[in-house]
Amino acid sequence: MPERRTVALVTLGCARNEVDSEELAGRLEADGWQLVEDAADADVAVVNTCGFVEAAKKDSVDALLEANDLKDHGRTQAVVAVGCMAERYGKELAEALPEADGVLGFDDYADISDRLQTILSGGIHASHTPRDRRKLLPVSPAERQESAVSVALPGHGPADLPEGVAPASGPRAPLRRRLDGTPVASVKLASGCDRRCSFCAIPSFRGSFISRRPSDVLNETRWLAEQGVKEIMLVSENNTSYGKDLGDIRLLESLLPELAEVDGLERVRVSYLQPAEMRPGLIDVLTSTPKVAPYFDLSFQHSAPDVLRAMRRFGDTDRFLELLDTIRSKAPEAGVRSNFIVGFPGESEADLAELERFLNGARLDAIGVFGYSDEEGTEAATYGDKLDEDLVAERLARVSRLAEDLVSQRAEERLGETVRVLVESVDEEEGVYGRAAHQAPETDGQVLLTSGAGLGVGRMVEAKVVGTEGVDLVAEPLTGSLACSEEAGR
């Protein structure tokens, strides 16, 4: 019997890429490939790249080069690039990086097994020619669902497949194979984006916005819960638009309570929310539904009106603060995070001061700050009045220092709060770590529990916040919560 072909998936970038990697893993395993964790143990290393900003592109290239080095020292025979950077640049990336044995676009995902086998056998699969994926679906959202059957949508795999395609879990097994044993998993709610922010190239290579059907999201969530997942995070380029192409812009408000009722699930989290699209009904559901985290990942980007208009965005400092006040009037403990761009073309000192005014009043739990840089193909890249790179770096350092101080202060405000912590790691030397409802995976800090007796990964623990370490919390498990965890572990 011939030895099974082996493949390793190396994932960079956002949670959406993680979902795409697990879909690729499901397709490959269904076709007889053996999945391995270490690229050095694989016949083929597949690198799922990120193409969002320059730093992410550099990380992707570095990962491809690192995987290529394994061809001289390990089992690896081929290195293949997939993901956003591969989709965005196609042949250009292949020519600039001959170390990659293949550069595959989203259209290749359905035939990923054949593509890898061709490359592994020494054949050549032509790198795709990039195209504006916004043009693949109708302009009218109402007409997109019917057309979507002919368009590659990573992470939108069918919800029902023949036996053997995914681990046995009945008829709702999705086209997906989990690549880690963590108690948290992301679920694609939609793909693409209809917004035209002047600094962002994502819609051009991810396409127009299209929702997954609620039944597919529910089925995948049930399957994940059967695999031991305790928290799901709904991801897309813009979750607040969910349902608009299905005839109901309020579909998320009805879907969230259904997801929260899935057996075995402890927490549902929603990411990627647009402030300009927040609705009173959505705020109500996010702040009052049991098991739905009162968590708001709001894409503010800036707060000075002139900068926001140049970004093709909406709002201002006072309207944003009013939105946060509304959220906290309903859920004082709600978690809020956001990202900001400083040094945008034309940004004045007064604009920067306005952003600082917002940050000082917003009480955000987590803040990401980025310095502006041109992204090819975007409107902002054509703007004049660009700021000097040294000035951008100076403003980035200034706002980053402020952000670090502010999130530490916000963490200190939580002293004495009771939080529900999902345990994610247990180590005799390092201790027991998890996340509270206001903390998303990998981005928003974590909680160190002062006692780990009887606790295991995946447990949900009630704990009192007794200390802080920057953005991180230190919490003491409540006696009753530990007792429940110990009983559940028997």
Side-chain angles (χ1 to χ4, degrees):
M1 185 174 180
E3 187 176 7
R4 292 180 71 189
R5 303 158 294 177
T6 57
V7 60
L9 287 122
V10 180
T11 307
L12 294 94
C14 65
R16 300 185 294 274
N17 259 14
E18 294 172 6
V19 176
D20 295 349
S21 285
E22 293 196 349
E23 181 187 299
L24 290 174
R27 291 183 183 276
L28 289 166
E29 187 173 67
D31 202 46
W33 290 77
Q34 180 181 347
L35 299 167
V36 296
E37 291 185 15
D38 193 337
D41 298 329
D43 297 319
V44 184
V46 177
V47 180
N48 192 347
T49 61
C50 179
F52 182 38
V53 293
E54 284 304 318
K57 294 177 204 171
K58 181 180 183 304
D59 288 344
S60 295
V61 170
D62 289 346
L64 287 164
L65 293 174
E66 183 178 337
N68 182 69
D69 289 341
L70 296 174
K71 290 192 284 189
D72 296 327
H73 308 292
R75 173 172 175 160
T76 310
Q77 300 173 50
V79 175
V80 175
V82 298
C84 291
M85 189 175 181
E87 173 65 35
R88 184 176 182 184
Y89 295 105
K91 291 181 179 179
E92 182 183 343
L93 176 61
E95 292 170 359
L97 199 69
E99 291 85 354
D101 299 286
V103 177
L104 307 181
F106 297 150
D107 293 336
D108 292 306
Y109 282 20
D111 301 308
I112 186 67
S113 179
D114 289 343
R115 300 288 186 265
L116 296 191
Q117 186 58 57
T118 296
I119 294 167
L120 189 59
S121 301
I124 297 175
H125 178 71
S127 301
H128 81 107
T129 301
R131 53 181 173 166
D132 188 340
R133 297 191 72 86
R134 290 172 293 191
K135 298 179 180 179
L136 301 182
L137 292 170
V139 173
S140 170
E143 299 174 3
R144 290 178 189 166
Q145 288 289 326
E146 185 175 344
S147 302
V149 295
S150 60
V151 177
L153 297 169
H156 285 232
D160 298 297
L161 293 168
E163 183 180 353
V165 170
S169 65
R172 58 172 168 262
L175 184 60
R176 180 169 182 169
R177 162 68 151 76
R178 295 222 66 205
L179 293 174
D180 60 44
T182 65
V184 184
S186 296
V187 175
K188 274 277 184 79
L189 193 61
S191 287
C193 186
D194 288 341
R195 302 184 71 88
R196 294 294 178 261
C197 301
S198 63
F199 56 83
C200 183
I202 288 177
S204 66
F205 56 85
R206 277 289 184 179
S208 297
F209 184 89
I210 185 162
S211 306
R212 291 183 74 192
R213 293 193 175 277
S215 58
D216 289 348
V217 177
L218 272 165
N219 284 340
E220 185 167 338
T221 298
R222 292 183 182 117
W223 176 80
L224 287 167
E226 290 170 358
Q227 309 307 307
V229 168
K230 299 300 181 184
E231 175 181 325
I232 63 160
M233 183 165 71
L234 299 177
V235 299
S236 75
E237 279 73 22
N238 178 11
N239 282 333
T240 34
S241 283
Y242 181 68
K244 73 175 186 179
D245 53 318
L246 294 171
D248 185 0
I249 191 61
R250 296 176 177 81
L251 197 54
L252 184 56
E253 285 94 306
S254 58
L255 176 60
L256 284 171
E258 292 186 71
L259 292 170
E261 291 177 359
V262 169
D263 288 344
L265 209 60
E266 294 285 351
R267 181 183 288 159
V268 178
R269 183 183 304 277
V270 184
S271 61
Y272 306 113
L273 301 169
Q274 286 291 340
E277 297 180 26
M278 290 301 295
R279 307 175 289 276
L282 180 56
I283 294 174
D284 287 342
V285 170
L286 287 169
T287 54
S288 65
T289 308
K291 294 189 177 181
V292 172
Y295 175 80
F296 294 80
D297 176 10
L298 293 163
S299 177
F300 289 121
Q301 302 298 346
H302 212 285
S303 72
D306 289 345
V307 176
L308 286 169
R309 301 306 173 268
M311 290 179 168
R312 304 296 182 204
R313 296 178 66 84
F314 306 94
D316 55 47
T317 296
D318 292 331
R319 274 189 275 185
F320 290 164
L321 291 176
E322 182 179 346
L323 172 61
L324 295 178
D325 285 344
T326 298
I327 290 169
R328 289 179 175 132
S329 70
K330 298 175 181 296
E333 78 287 359
V336 186
R337 72 139 13 248
S338 192
N339 293 324
F340 300 89
I341 298 172
V342 297
F344 195 79
E347 180 190 64
S348 66
E349 183 63 34
D351 292 329
L352 191 67
E354 185 69 0
L355 173 58
E356 290 172 327
R357 181 171 81 88
F358 171 68
L359 291 174
N360 276 297
R363 297 170 53 231
L364 302 179
D365 292 276
I367 301 171
V369 187
F370 302 89
Y372 173 82
S373 62
D374 284 340
E375 276 296 310
E376 60 183 285
T378 63
E379 180 184 356
T382 69
Y383 287 176
D385 204 12
K386 300 278 176 61
L387 275 62
D388 182 80
E389 288 185 6
D390 289 341
L391 180 57
V392 174
E394 177 186 318
R395 290 184 175 182
L396 174 61
R398 168 177 157 185
V399 177
S400 295
R401 286 194 298 270
L402 174 63
E404 186 175 348
D405 289 342
L406 291 173
V407 295
S408 295
Q409 291 174 23
R410 177 65 182 131
E412 290 173 0
E413 290 179 18
R414 294 192 179 275
L415 287 169
E417 275 189 17
T418 297
V419 293
R420 297 188 76 231
V421 180
L422 177 63
V423 177
E424 293 188 315
S425 67
V426 178
D427 186 276
E428 289 186 4
E429 294 184 2
E430 296 184 3
V432 178
Y433 283 90
R435 288 177 301 100
H438 70 280
Q439 298 168 317
E442 299 182 6
T443 60
D444 300 342
Q446 56 189 351
V447 179
L448 170 63
L449 295 173
T450 58
S451 172
L455 294 179
V457 172
R459 296 283 186 236
M460 190 69 81
V461 182
E462 299 280 339
K464 180 180 180 180
V465 180
V466 296
T468 65
E469 296 177 1
V471 69
D472 298 329
L473 304 180
V474 179
E476 179 180 341
L478 300 179
T479 304
S481 179
L482 276 179
C484 290
S485 293
E486 290 172 358
E487 184 65 29
R490 292 193 181 105

